[in-house]
Amino acid sequence: MSKVNSIAIGAALVVFASVATALRFGSMPIGIGEVAVMLLFIWALRYRQALRYLTHPVMLFWMGFIAIAAVAMLLGTVKGASSTHTAAAYLYSGCFSLMAIACLEQASKQQFESFIKALVVIPGLMLLIPFLCFATDANELAGMLGINTDFPSRLSAWSTNPNQLGLLLLPIPFWLLAVYRDAKWQGKRWLRNFGLIWAFFVLGICVRSDALLLAWFIGLPLLTGVALVWAKPFNWRLFGTTLAAFVLAFASFKFMVDGPGRDQLVKAEAAVSGAMASVFGTAPAKGGSPTFAPGKSDSVIGVGFDQNKSGVRKTLWIHAYEAWLQAPFIGHGPGAFSYLEDPAKKEEAHNLGFDMLTQVGIAGVLLFAALYLWLLVKACQARDPYSLAVLVVLMVFSGAHFMLRQPVFSLYMIICALAVKHGIFTALREKPQPN
């Protein structure tokens, strides 16, 4: 894989920091990522003339969405949970989107692809130590580094919620294929790249998100099939390697966590944990060697834990539907309006459609639908299988989680829009990219 420049690395680090929500200053909802984005936003306003991009479809959506949510909040009689925090998150995501458009719109194709490559490389490197802490139950080291250990059987790294990390990792395999679509992998180089892709999929699966697993399970064959029709010549070695790596990563995880390899995993963890205790000078576990192993999955084909997750979500969706009926046109404004048992303990419906209906009603949902339909149509018109696949997996993932307020959700739509507009992933190259 070719090198990426320092600016692309810095931008990718900012994106990674945007999901590192556990790294906050005290109890304030502001951390390293938010400060970096604020500074870049001011820079984009001054030097990139960001305000001229307010007419971009993504920004038109955000301005309309925020306006509808504000009116609904003023007129509504039902107050949701975390309404102030959610409203601030929408404003922040809107500013993040404007900054991203201003920077990426003016980037050359080479700079754009460098940024995509950095988005592939940076998460992999940044997650090495969190993965080691997760795999060895090294809570002391994780605590020293600020790594979130509230989910002991899930890889969360510096994200408050593992699903934030899942969203970050979601499109990376598709963009990896996009930027290396001309690669000619052979011999040892093929074996090396196969191992790297396999390791990345293992990282993603360790987030233990069935939504992420399902999105990859649907998106990778979809991308392969569409690319077979649209992309000429079709790089069968690249796509075949990726599909094989995904299948092997899933099988490896199931074997080690849910299958016969579990005992060997515990022994390996004990050995590695002991070695880390010697290196970092941490105290050994009480009672001898640790016996930690990630919790077993709740199904043969999944990697999650909650055997009643479908029932829980059904309940949340039913109550969200009931809340929406109270204000069907513009919703109740920012916040969470569903619940499980106690109506006083409100939470999100964990579904993009239902959560948007409760907050901005039919008006906001139609606005988002118009934006997303525009993105899908443009991807199809440009015959860009990579952007199309990313848009599809974003919707699959959003069927189980509400991620609209996460800045990277908007960033991914923006990347797809600009990649399609400038032919980043479809233009023929004069020379193959080094791999």
Side-chain angles (χ1 to χ4, degrees), residues 174-175 219 222-223 225-227 230 372-373 375-395 416-417 419-420 425-426:
F174 305 91
W175 285 329
L222 172 67
L223 172 59
V226 176
W230 285 352
Y372 223 78
L373 180 61
L375 290 169
L376 289 170
V377 169
K378 287 296 184 181
C380 290
Q381 288 178 340
R383 301 174 72 84
D384 182 346
Y386 309 98
S387 297
L388 179 64
V390 168
L391 292 170
V392 170
V393 298
L394 276 176
M395 284 300 98
C416 290
V420 167
F425 302 147
T426 54

Side-chain angles (χ1 to χ4, degrees), residues 4 8 11-13 15-16 113-124 168-169 171-172 175 200 411-412 415:
V4 293
L13 284 171
V15 174
F16 187 87
E113 287 207 348
S114 274
F115 173 59
I116 296 298
K117 292 174 184 177
L119 282 182
V120 174
V121 173
I122 293 301
L168 174 72
L169 300 178
I172 290 180
W175 285 329
F200 178 84
L411 174 66
Y412 293 161
I415 289 176

Side-chain angles (χ1 to χ4, degrees), residues 62-195:
W62 272 118
M63 289 188 292
F65 181 90
I66 292 172
I68 294 171
V71 172
M73 183 171 59
L74 292 174
L75 300 180
T77 57
V78 179
K79 184 176 177 61
S82 304
S83 57
T84 302
H85 175 79
T86 304
Y90 289 145
L91 290 171
Y92 174 73
S93 293
C95 292
F96 183 98
S97 300
L98 185 59
M99 179 268 296
I101 294 171
C103 294
L104 290 177
E105 181 69 78
Q106 298 179 44
S108 66
K109 288 186 178 181
Q110 183 178 2
Q111 291 171 332
F112 194 99
E113 287 207 348
S114 274
F115 173 59
I116 296 298
K117 292 174 184 177
L119 282 182
V120 174
V121 173
I122 293 301
L125 295 177
M126 295 297 292
L127 291 175
L128 286 178
I129 293 180
F131 174 77
L132 188 59
C133 292
F134 162 79
T136 61
D137 195 29
N139 288 329
E140 291 188 19
L141 177 60
M144 291 170 52
L145 299 175
I147 295 170
N148 184 11
T149 57
D150 291 343
F151 305 87
S153 290
R154 302 183 67 180
L155 177 62
S156 188
W158 292 279
S159 298
T160 304
N161 188 318
N163 295 319
Q164 296 170 343
L165 180 60
L167 176 63
L168 174 72
L169 300 178
L170 177 64
I172 290 180
F174 305 91
W175 285 329
L176 178 68
L177 294 175
V179 296
Y180 292 105
R181 61 191 182 276
D182 295 333
K184 304 296 183 184
W185 294 351
Q186 297 177 350
K188 293 182 179 179
R189 180 176 294 170
W190 174 86
L191 186 62
R192 179 201 67 185
N193 291 339
F194 177 85

